[in-house]
Every structure is written in structure tokens, then in C-alpha cells.
């Protein structure tokens, strides 16, 4: 199993390098609101990335995946799931403890405010 995980590291790092770099999750959250499939992906860079990476105890790239959980009637407003995932570093794989993703849900509108109503739109 360790061999499989070690072989997967270069592939995971290549995938992360192909993702769009963003300084804030907000950019991907707005992109997910506007996306037909309700999703957006990227890699967090900069000061915020450094702070969050400390929670993972290593400096691996932080991937962000934003997905839409609910669509609200209010235009440009959604319930989003934001997931931060650090690619496993060689030392964490060797220790058998790959980093765990951090997920949070947020009611968010394109203008950065929460929706005034949480009434869902009809499909």
C-alpha cells in the first residue's frame, strides 16, 4: 500500500500544478455560483494558504474544491461546500497519516453577503 501511495504523489502534485492559483477561496466561490455544474477548483496560494497549511503541519499545496449544495431563489446566492485538501507529503504517507480534508458549508452570494432568505429555488 505504501508503494501505491508513493507512486500517487507525483500524479497528485501534477494535478495541483494544473489547477488555477487563487489567493482567496472567494474567487472560487463566486465561480461556483456562476458555473453550470455549480463547482470550481483551484490551489490556494499566498498568506492565507500558509496559515491554513500550518493546520496540516506541512507545506503541501492546498487544493480547494467548491460545490453547490443548494440554490436559493435570491439571484446569485447558494449554499456552498468548501473543501481544503492538502496533497499527502512523503513523510505523512510514510507515517500512515495522510492529511484529512477540511470542509465547511457557507451560505454565500456573489456580492460576498449571506442571502437575505434561504428559500430554495425550484428545480
Amino acid at each position: 500500500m505504501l508503494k501505491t501511495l508513493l507512486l500517487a504523489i507525483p500524479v497528485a502534485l501534477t494535478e495541483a500544478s494544473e489547477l488555477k492559483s487563487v489567493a482567496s477561496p472567494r474567487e472560487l466561490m463566486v465561480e461556483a455560483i456562476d458555473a453550470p455544474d455549480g463547482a470550481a477548483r483551484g490551489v490556494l496560494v499566498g498568506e492565507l494558504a500558509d496559515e491554513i497549511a500550518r493546520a496540516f503541519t506541512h507545506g503541501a499545496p492546498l487544493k480547494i474544491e467548491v460545490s453547490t449544495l443548494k440554490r436559493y431563489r435570491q439571484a446569485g446566492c447558494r449554499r456552498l461546500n468548501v473543501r481544503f485538501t492538502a496533497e499527502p507529503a512523503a513523510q505523512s504517507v510514510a507515517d500512515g497519516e495522510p492529511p484529512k480534508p477540511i470542509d465547511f458549508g457557507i451560505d454565500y452570494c456573489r456580492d460576498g453577503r449571506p442571502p437575505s432568505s434561504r428559500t430554495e429555488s425550484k428545480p
Side-chain angles (χ1 to χ4, degrees), residues 60-109:
L62 287 174
K63 289 191 338 188
I64 304 173
E65 298 175 60
V66 181
S67 56
T68 299
L69 301 174
K70 294 179 184 176
R71 296 178 186 272
Y72 295 124
R73 278 191 190 166
Q74 186 177 342
C77 297
R78 308 280 189 269
R79 173 75 178 171
L80 302 172
N81 183 71
V82 180
R83 171 174 275 201
F84 293 94
T85 308
E87 296 301 333
Q91 71 270 13
S92 66
V93 172
D95 295 339
E97 289 293 325
K100 295 181 174 125
I102 296 174
D103 284 275
F104 69 89
I106 185 169
D107 292 323
Y108 197 78
C109 297

Side-chain angles (χ1 to χ4, degrees), residues 20-38:
K20 173 176 154 177
S21 296
V22 296
S24 167
R26 182 185 191 293
E27 186 176 339
L28 295 174
M29 292 163 63
V30 171
E31 189 176 314
I33 288 170
D34 295 333
D37 67 352

